Amino acid sequence: MSSKSFTPLIDPYARRVRDLRISITDRCNFRCTYCMPEKGLQWLDRAEILSFEEITRLARIFVERFDFDGIRLTGGEPTVRADLPVLMEKLSSLHVPSTGLPVDLAMTTNGSSLRLIARDLKNTGLNRLNISLDSLDPKTFATMTRRDHLDKVLDGIDAAIEAGFSPIKINIVMIRGVNDGEIVDFATFGRQMGVQPRFIEFMPLDADGAWNIDKVVPADEIVERINQVYPLSPVVHGPEPAQRFAYQDGAGEIGVIPSVTKPFCANCDRVRITAEGKFMTCLFAIREFDLRKTLRSGGSDDEIMDEIQAAIGTKWAGHSIGNVNFVRPPRSMSQIGG
Ligand code: SAM
Ligand code: SF4
């Protein structure tokens, strides 16, 4: 059990930062059009990627020294990293000082390997699962992911349910003219399967640079289209990016993430570490802090803490997608860790 003494991380806008996203690989077995290019992305060398020991050490500092209560593993596709349950086991032993509870471990995955590892992940401490699924139609799915794997992902969702994950959230990136005809179908799917759809507005982080505002389906429109078929009521909740709505007939919930039309920056409590150990204080940050360098040059925990605190001092008020002064970050989504 960890000691009770910790330093809350507070950014220049008085936001308490306590949620860490760790990308554990830049590689992926899909090539989603809104994320990766079809070809040509340069992979990091194995030696450049943080080892499980390095990831666990950084996670321990965030949890035990700064009282972080949530860690989400992402990528790239986290399940392509070998021995993932071993990492899960190491991270699940971390306890949040202020509560004494285990850290809330979550993962975002494209679901294609869950049939093989869902049970092991559950047994080694993974608490929550988001599975990405952009279309229920095999052709649209293959167009969006550039892979013909809809059946595998649906089977992965079944495997996650069988393994006992609950709730399971289904991440859907909505793109105008591509999958926006399926909004109500996803609501029906969620109600039947007992999973929660989370509709995400398309953000300008696609490697192909094809994003434009006309391709964004506003969250309000998504909620209204579902509400017409299955009446919804808003759910009151704490600071989190998703706006949540419950079906009035009690058949579950949906969430929408209006990152473009109504950014949640004012309540942002997140930071990120990329697969090669760069610390980013925003998904759209231009400046990065090289924690791997400090780790590999024998830096102490106190030195790493100082570096994290200095970086938090640069966390900005928010991004400005859609405004003339918006600058696209040099990395695309799979190279940051969404
Ligand atoms: N490979 C895993 C997956 O797809 O779930 C984890 C990494 S992926 C980068 C994390 C999440 O980011 C996924 O739900 C994905 O749909 C979302 N995402 C990727 N590119 C996006 C974009 N340009 N705009 C909005 N969401 C995006
Ligand atoms: Fe891979 Fe996830 Fe990006 Fe799709 S969204 S290409 S599955 S990292």
Side-chain angles (χ1 to χ4, degrees), residues 138-156:
K139 270 197 188 141
T140 310
F141 181 93
T143 304
M144 290 184 79
T145 61
R146 299 192 180 103
R147 295 291 183 270
D148 189 12
H149 289 334
L150 174 60
D151 287 348
K152 257 189 178 175
V153 176
L154 291 175
D155 188 42

Side-chain angles (χ1 to χ4, degrees), residues 97-338:
S98 62
T99 61
L101 296 172
V103 69
D104 181 22
L105 264 187
M107 184 175 83
T108 306
T109 170
N110 65 27
S112 60
S113 307
L114 284 177
R115 172 54 66 194
L116 302 175
I117 56 167
R119 214 169 280 276
D120 283 350
L121 292 174
K122 181 80 181 139
N123 291 340
T124 47
L126 180 63
N127 207 16
R128 291 188 299 119
L129 203 49
N130 285 45
I131 304 172
S132 299
L133 170 65
D134 300 311
S135 176
L136 296 164
D137 171 70
K139 270 197 188 141
T140 310
F141 181 93
T143 304
M144 290 184 79
T145 61
R146 299 192 180 103
R147 295 291 183 270
D148 189 12
H149 289 334
L150 174 60
D151 287 348
K152 257 189 178 175
V153 176
L154 291 175
D155 188 42
I157 294 172
D158 286 339
I161 294 170
E162 288 160 25
F165 286 102
S166 175
I168 293 171
K169 293 178 181 155
I170 304 296
N171 285 8
I172 309 146
V173 178
M174 294 303 313
I175 304 185
R176 177 77 74 204
V178 180
N179 61 349
D180 54 336
E182 294 187 60
I183 292 171
V184 174
D185 296 346
F186 268 112
T188 306
F189 174 80
R191 290 164 62 90
Q192 287 169 350
M193 298 286 291
V195 295
Q196 296 183 9
R198 283 163 78 94
F199 298 91
I200 306 174
E201 289 181 351
F202 180 24
M203 293 183 276
L205 290 169
D206 55 321
D208 291 339
W211 181 91
N212 69 56
I213 196 76
D214 297 337
K215 293 185 179 157
V216 176
V217 184
D220 285 351
E221 176 184 326
I222 295 168
V223 174
E224 194 35 48
R225 278 164 70 176
I226 296 174
N227 186 47
Q228 282 169 10
V229 182
Y230 303 117
L232 292 165
S233 299
V235 175
V236 179
H237 57 80
E240 60 176 279
Q243 294 180 346
R244 289 163 48 193
F245 296 84
Y247 295 114
Q248 289 175 10
D249 64 5
E253 269 194 24
I254 65 151
V256 288
I257 309 201
S259 343
V260 177
T261 59
K262 289 183 203 160
F264 39 86
C265 305
N267 289 321
C268 179
D269 64 353
R270 288 189 181 166
V271 285
R272 299 180 140 80
I273 298 175
T274 67
E276 76 274 45
K278 296 278 168 51
F279 184 50
M280 296 178 67
T281 60
C282 173
L283 199 46
F284 295 91
I286 304 293
R287 190 158 166 205
E288 302 174 354
F289 296 82
D290 193 353
L291 294 182
R292 187 187 69 191
K293 193 168 165 204
T294 315
L295 279 173
R296 294 193 182 171
S297 59
S300 65
D301 285 3
D302 285 343
E303 282 166 321
I304 294 171
M305 280 181 75
D306 287 347
E307 201 168 342
I308 293 167
Q309 279 174 311
I312 288 296
T314 70
K315 189 165 161 71
W316 54 25
H319 65 72
S320 49
I321 300 172
N323 294 342
V324 279
N325 55 349
F326 174 69
V327 180
R328 252 188 93 115
R331 291 170 180 266
S332 51
M333 193 62 133
S334 68
Q335 298 166 311
I336 304 169

Side-chain angles (χ1 to χ4, degrees), residues 28 30-32 34-36 76 110 334:
C28 187
F30 284 16
R31 294 288 180 280
C32 303
Y34 50 76
C35 178
M36 278 193 173
N110 65 27
S334 68

